[in-house]
Amino acid sequence: MKNFIQSLFDLWKQLGLNQRVSLVVAAIAVTGGLVGVVLWSQRPDMQLLYARMGEKDAAAVVSHLQSQNIPHQVTGGGTTVLVPSDKVHKLRMDLAGKGLPSGDGVGFEIFDKGQFGLSDFVQRTNYLRAVQGELSRTISQLAGVRSARIMIVQPENRLLLTEQGVKATASVFVDVGGGRLDVDQVNAIRHLVANAVQGLAPDQVAVIDNRGHTLSEQLKQDPTLGSATSQMRYRQQVEEYLAKKVESMLAMVIGPGNAVVRVSAEIETDATTLTSEKYDPEGQVVRTLTQTDDITNSSEARAAGGAAGVSANVPEKAAGSADTSRPSTVSEQSRKNRTTNYEINKTITNVTRNPGTVKHLTAAVFISPRMIPVPLAADAPKGTPAAAPQAQKRSQQELDALRQVVINALGLKAVAGQSPDSLVSLQELPFQSALPLPEQSEAAEGETRLQGWLVVASRWAGVVVACLVLLVFLRMLSHQKPEPVPVEVLSLSPEAAARALPNSNSVTPELLNELIRQKPANVGVALRDWVSNAAPAAASKN
């Protein structure tokens, strides 16, 4: 190796300046090319992980990759992520377990680019997609909601409507992970979707979580209380509200947890409409007045030629008819008619009673006795535990006062002859504490202690096994002795034998160099044996 290096130096001295520069540049170029090839070969093969993601999904995916120290590339304006090809499938499964990407869908940016030649059906479909995407993004911003998807169904816009009862409906799927949404949040989702879609009522919006529970079923309004489920739910709400109202009031007087109130409500579930008509004859009012005046005048004048007609030609009447000296008769007649029509006062009353009215209420109240602490004796040693408090029952006047307070809080009214006990049953009884028995507590404590030891043992079991394996390995290694390697006997050349000393036990430097040149391994073995043999001898002398 030394001769090879020396030959290179001799060759370098023989080269000129241009040759040296060319050789250095060539060496640098070759070295750079080799380094580039090595780096390019070590570069991971990047493949597509997800494309066309929203800003929120892209940020969440990149954050996950950075936390795992996984190399990645972001392209496509921040919507496309590339990762090494050998990790694509594993990352997709991991991100799917975290709900990424959530797939918010397309929003109103679908109309950013003008598209000509689209039919009316495509335009309405795109608008519906945009509304669904915007609502999904908005609902995903609520606390506790990881992702959301919305499906809206609207009746077709036809020229001739054959079904008048078809209404718009919507379904909302929310991914809440392992949590739950409050009633207010579910109600907010229903009203948010209903107000964003024309003709959509909140009761027509169904909200479903990732565990398959229908969250909006209990929020539907049923004004007629037609179904038994609605009736029971409404009754339960009324009873719970009144019981909580009384319990919170009694807790301020006798202490929290010292009163149990249960209210039973009888709810009116029938819808009735009453129509009544009432006539008041005293309240007459003139409606029409008709008055007619009839006056008749008649007169008869004297006739000179006798009476005309048949009587003048009758013979036996002829003598009488000749008397024309009698005067004519004059008559006058007057008549008045008056008609008056009266309107009788009439009252029409229409009363509509909706279901849900509380017809009757009763309540049952249990209260615990008053607990009075027992003071320690004056001569009790220091550190003596305090005695358990003693129960003291209340007087009948106090119980009656509490019963009257409950009656007033519930708005109950006793009928004549009805006792307050029939409205509110109030009793004072000691409450049973849910304390476990001593045997049960000891068994539970022992089981808990055993579980704790098992958890600790499972954590340190691996470390203990590793330590035991290491100790066994070190012990076996200490008992293992290296086998001596025999030194090969080499045949010396005649020149080396001639240079040897007459004493066969002596070795000259020339002979040692010859042996090293022929078999260098023998020299290392000999020196190791010499050192190992010299150390015990020195120890025995000391």
Side-chain angles (χ1 to χ4, degrees):
M1 184 65 181
K2 186 176 181 181
N3 295 333
F4 177 73
I5 295 175
Q6 186 64 33
S7 63
L8 290 179
F9 276 111
D10 295 340
L11 180 61
W12 179 262
K13 292 178 181 179
Q14 295 177 4
L15 297 176
L17 180 61
N18 295 335
Q19 294 176 344
R20 293 180 180 179
V21 173
S22 301
L23 185 61
V24 170
V25 172
I28 293 175
V30 171
T31 305
L34 292 176
V35 172
V37 170
V38 172
L39 294 179
W40 179 81
S41 62
Q42 293 180 353
R43 180 182 178 183
D45 182 18
M46 307 298 287
Q47 290 188 1
L48 178 65
L49 179 63
Y50 288 113
R52 293 183 297 177
M53 293 186 297
E55 296 180 357
K56 180 180 178 182
D57 291 339
V61 170
V62 171
S63 176
H64 176 75
L65 296 177
Q66 291 178 352
S67 62
Q68 299 294 330
N69 295 326
I70 298 175
H72 60 277
Q73 295 179 2
V74 180
T75 59
T79 61
T80 304
V81 178
L82 303 177
V83 294
S85 58
D86 57 340
K87 298 182 179 180
V88 171
H89 303 291
K90 183 177 182 301
L91 286 175
R92 286 179 180 175
M93 290 188 293
D94 294 343
L95 293 174
K98 296 181 177 294
L100 296 174
S102 59
D104 293 337
V106 65
F108 281 105
E109 64 271 8
I110 193 175
F111 298 106
D112 292 344
K113 298 181 180 179
Q115 297 178 359
F116 299 97
L118 297 180
S119 63
D120 181 67
F121 174 77
V122 176
Q123 289 287 2
R124 287 188 286 108
T125 303
N126 290 338
Y127 175 76
L128 192 61
R129 290 178 57 196
V131 172
Q132 292 178 166
E134 294 294 337
L135 288 175
S136 299
R137 296 174 182 177
T138 305
I139 296 175
S140 299
Q141 303 297 324
L142 295 177
V145 178
R146 298 171 58 181
S147 62
R149 294 192 64 185
I150 299 179
M151 286 71 71
I152 300 175
V153 178
Q154 286 186 323
E156 296 184 6
N157 187 12
R158 297 180 179 177
L159 181 61
L160 298 177
L161 297 178
T162 58
E163 298 181 3
Q164 300 291 339
V166 178
K167 299 181 181 179
T169 58
S171 300
V172 182
F173 174 81
V174 291
D175 183 5
V176 295
R180 298 187 62 182
L181 293 180
D182 297 337
V183 177
D184 296 338
Q185 292 178 305
V186 178
N187 203 22
I189 293 174
R190 295 171 63 243
H191 285 82
L192 175 66
V193 177
N195 293 331
V197 180
Q198 182 180 5
L200 182 61
D203 289 342
Q204 301 299 327
V205 180
V207 182
I208 303 173
D209 62 0
N210 57 326
R211 292 176 294 181
H213 297 163
T214 304
L215 306 179
S216 59
E217 185 65 25
Q218 298 181 355
L219 299 178
K220 290 185 178 180
Q221 300 293 332
D222 191 0
T224 61
L225 293 179
S227 62
T229 304
S230 301
Q231 297 176 11
M232 294 300 297
R233 183 168 61 249
Y234 178 73
R235 179 177 179 179
Q236 182 181 4
Q237 293 175 357
V238 172
E239 292 176 350
E240 288 181 354
Y241 167 73
L242 296 177
K244 185 177 181 181
K245 177 181 178 181
V246 176
E247 283 186 4
S248 61
M249 180 184 62
L250 294 178
M252 303 299 295
V253 179
I254 62 178
N258 293 328
V260 178
V261 181
R262 294 294 182 269
V263 178
S264 177
E266 184 179 354
I267 307 298
E268 178 66 41
T269 58
D270 297 333
T272 58
T273 302
L274 301 178
T275 303
S276 61
E277 294 184 5
K278 183 179 180 181
Y279 295 91
D280 186 10
E282 300 297 334
Q284 303 181 37
V285 178
V286 177
R287 184 176 184 180
T288 59
L289 176 62
T290 304
Q291 184 174 354
T292 304
D293 295 338
D294 188 6
I295 301 174
T296 304
N297 296 323
S298 63
S299 62
E300 184 177 358
R302 183 185 300 270
V310 178
S311 59
N313 296 324
V314 178
E316 55 271 12
K317 293 290 185 179
S321 62
D323 188 6
T324 58
S325 59
R326 192 167 35 184
S328 62
T329 303
V330 178
S331 63
E332 182 178 354
Q333 183 179 359
S334 176
R335 184 177 61 185
K336 293 183 179 180
N337 294 328
R338 183 175 182 179
T339 303
T340 304
N341 296 328
Y342 293 93
E343 185 71 26
I344 300 176
N345 186 14
K346 180 177 67 173
T347 303
I348 300 176
T349 305
N350 293 326
V351 179
T352 301
R353 295 179 180 177
N354 293 326
T357 305
V358 179
K359 298 172 58 178
H360 186 64
L361 283 177
T362 57
V365 182
F366 284 102
I367 60 175
S368 63
R370 185 185 294 108
M371 306 303 294
I372 299 177
V374 178
L376 294 176
D379 54 350
K382 187 176 181 180
T384 303
Q390 295 182 356
Q392 181 182 8
K393 291 189 176 182
R394 296 175 176 85
S395 61
Q396 187 62 34
Q397 291 77 8
E398 293 178 339
L399 296 179
D400 294 340
L402 291 176
R403 181 182 292 105
Q404 188 62 37
V405 168
V406 175
I407 292 175
N408 295 336
L410 295 177
L412 302 178
K413 295 181 180 180
V415 185
Q418 186 179 10
S419 63
D421 294 342
S422 60
L423 298 177
V424 175
S425 174
L426 189 145
Q427 296 184 10
E428 184 180 15
L429 297 174
F431 289 178
Q432 297 293 332
S433 59
L435 296 178
L437 298 176
E439 297 80 3
Q440 297 178 353
S441 61
E442 292 179 0
E445 184 178 358
E447 185 177 357
T448 304
R449 189 182 300 108
L450 179 60
Q451 292 180 355
W453 283 109
L454 290 177
V455 171
V456 174
S458 62
R459 292 178 180 177
W460 293 97
V463 178
V464 173
V465 171
C467 293
L468 292 176
V469 172
L470 181 60
L471 291 176
V472 171
F473 176 75
L474 293 177
R475 186 172 181 83
M476 292 175 62
L477 186 62
S478 62
H479 291 295
Q480 187 70 23
K481 294 183 179 179
E483 297 180 359
V485 179
V487 179
E488 298 182 8
V489 179
L490 303 177
S491 59
L492 299 177
S493 60
E495 293 80 2
R499 288 195 297 269
L501 295 178
N503 189 4
S504 60
N505 295 330
S506 302
V507 180
T508 61
E510 292 79 2
L511 180 60
L512 184 60
N513 290 334
E514 184 67 21
L515 294 175
I516 293 173
R517 191 179 299 108
Q518 292 183 7
K519 199 67 175 178
N522 290 339
V523 179
V525 174
L527 291 176
R528 185 169 61 251
D529 292 342
W530 178 74
V531 171
S532 60
N533 294 330
S540 61
K541 290 181 180 180
N542 295 333

